[in-house]
Amino acid sequence: MLVAVLLAAVLLGGCSEDESAESAGQPSESVVTAPAAEIAEPPTENNPPEPIASAAPAHSAADGADAPYGLGMPALEPLPAPQPAEQEPPEQSPEVAPAASDEAEALPRLGIIIDDVGNSRSAGERIIALPAPVALAIMPFTRNAQALATLAAEAGKPVMLHLPMENLAGLAIGEGGLSTRMSRADFEAQLQASLNAFTPVQGVNNHMGSKLTADRERMDWLMTQLAARQLFFVDSRTTKETQAAFAAQAAGVPSVSRDVFLDNERTQVELDREFRLALERARKQGAAVLIGHPYPETLAFLERQLPGLEMREGVRLVSVQALLRQPH
Ligand SMILES: [Zn+2]
């Protein structure tokens, strides 16, 4: 298990040059109170994962990310028997693990994060109710931030701070945001305020941030604070110039980068296309990180897709923490 986690983390980690730039921005939700969403790659872009020099040979398969996707089902590995081996004798040593469990551990893994949470309580509750460890990335100082963080933690779901950061388009980032214009003292004070806005916070990812995440010095300021709090970081990758993962590694912060945005387009066709892309990435890389937003269309899509996903697709839904690349 540990080996698998580390391998997947290595395969996923790092950051690259091939990310599409954050574009001009669009409203995050039809809900008027919602923050603007990060903008991701055009639907046609595949964002191949960045190769890592020291990665295991298996990664070579991941470099061919241009393969067509979304049309029909890729050939699947045989599915493991779903029955848990409840009957294992109590005297057995841990080394004699049930075969079904071993096979499940070897499945490609998908971690899902829903960003921009905190304004709508009902949307947050729908995320928490999803049959998977989907992370809530909660905006600081939103109306339902604390209530949803509490509910999510009680349900065993990952809770993250969705930290607003300055973007190249000059879009408003909301309360608690960080910008390149701040002095280090102001930057750190604002960061601490956002980290303290609700509890628990297990990790952080960036809301927007196409300008700030490209600033290595400020990413170093950020990661130093996250390291002190033993938090992890997920780079939403809103710019190909992002320095966040480098800074995280340097500061000793476990991190992983977003592979796919689920809902830049909210039609069924596009949601399905991006979801398929995420599954394909998970199969090629061993694991993938998918980020969505609390749009009604997205939530309804996940409510349909997640039940029974492992049986249908041979991809295991895991918490984002299970996909973190540990620092050297
Ligand atoms: Zn966001």
Side-chain angles (χ1 to χ4, degrees):
M1 166 65 182
L2 181 58
V3 172
V5 168
L6 290 174
L7 177 60
V10 167
L11 293 177
L12 271 177
C15 51
S16 72
E17 311 77 45
D18 45 29
E19 194 64 53
S20 64
E22 184 178 58
S23 62
Q26 61 192 26
S28 172
E29 301 182 46
S30 51
V31 180
V32 293
T33 52
E38 304 87 333
I39 305 309
E41 70 273 22
T44 53
E45 179 155 344
N46 279 325
N47 292 319
E50 54 279 7
I52 297 171
S54 60
H59 186 259
S60 59
D63 295 331
D66 323 87
Y69 57 85
L71 297 176
M73 307 284 287
L76 291 183
E77 303 159 27
L79 291 174
Q83 302 84 356
E86 300 287 354
Q87 69 279 15
E88 65 176 311
E91 300 83 3
Q92 290 285 21
S93 70
E95 289 77 15
V96 192
S101 174
D102 283 348
E103 291 177 23
E105 296 292 348
L107 289 174
R109 295 173 302 157
L110 180 66
I112 302 177
I113 301 170
I114 303 298
D115 281 355
D116 298 355
V117 174
N119 285 308
S120 165
R121 174 143 181 167
S122 61
E125 289 177 346
R126 285 176 72 181
I127 299 163
I128 294 166
L130 288 169
V134 175
L136 281 78
I138 301 175
M139 307 277 301
F141 312 112
T142 46
R143 201 165 46 246
N144 289 294
Q146 183 58 67
L148 290 171
T150 299
L151 287 172
E154 287 172 356
K157 304 301 173 87
V159 181
M160 300 171 64
L161 170 66
H162 192 49
L163 186 61
M165 297 188 193
E166 184 178 7
N167 58 83
L168 289 167
L171 299 170
I173 55 176
E175 191 175 355
L178 302 175
S179 85
T180 56
R181 296 182 300 278
M182 291 174 163
S183 69
R184 181 162 190 170
D186 289 346
F187 184 100
E188 291 179 349
Q190 182 64 82
L191 173 58
Q192 294 299 332
S194 293
L195 287 169
N196 291 331
F198 57 86
T199 186
V201 172
Q202 298 166 313
V204 173
N205 75 337
N206 53 295
H207 172 67
M208 302 192 183
S210 55
K211 183 166 186 180
L212 191 77
T213 60
D215 186 319
R216 176 59 190 265
E217 182 180 25
R218 281 159 184 81
M219 287 298 98
D220 288 339
W221 297 352
L222 169 67
M223 298 305 169
T224 299
Q225 300 298 315
L226 300 192
R229 289 185 179 233
Q230 297 185 299
L231 299 175
F232 65 86
F233 186 80
V234 176
D235 188 351
S236 305
R237 295 194 60 76
T238 55
T239 171
K240 64 183 178 184
E241 307 296 337
T242 178
Q243 298 295 306
F246 292 122
Q249 287 290 303
V253 172
S255 66
V256 68
S257 295
R258 184 269 310 167
D259 289 280
V260 175
F261 275 127
L262 175 60
D263 49 10
N264 288 326
E265 305 283 343
R266 283 173 273 162
T267 64
Q268 281 304 305
V269 168
E270 290 302 320
L271 288 167
D272 195 60
R273 183 197 306 275
E274 297 304 313
F275 192 71
R276 294 272 150 214
L277 175 60
L279 295 176
E280 194 63 22
R281 288 283 178 83
R283 293 185 182 109
K284 286 182 176 175
Q285 302 171 175
V289 175
L290 175 68
I291 294 184
H293 298 83
Y295 302 124
E297 298 91 335
T298 300
L299 299 179
F301 180 85
L302 293 175
E303 286 163 353
R304 286 194 305 274
Q305 291 290 328
L306 299 192
L309 183 78
E310 184 172 321
M311 288 292 295
R312 289 196 315 278
E313 300 287 349
V315 173
R316 189 178 199 193
L317 294 164
V318 299
S319 72
V320 68
Q321 288 100 316
L323 305 181
L324 295 172
R325 179 189 186 198
Q326 299 302 319
H328 303 303

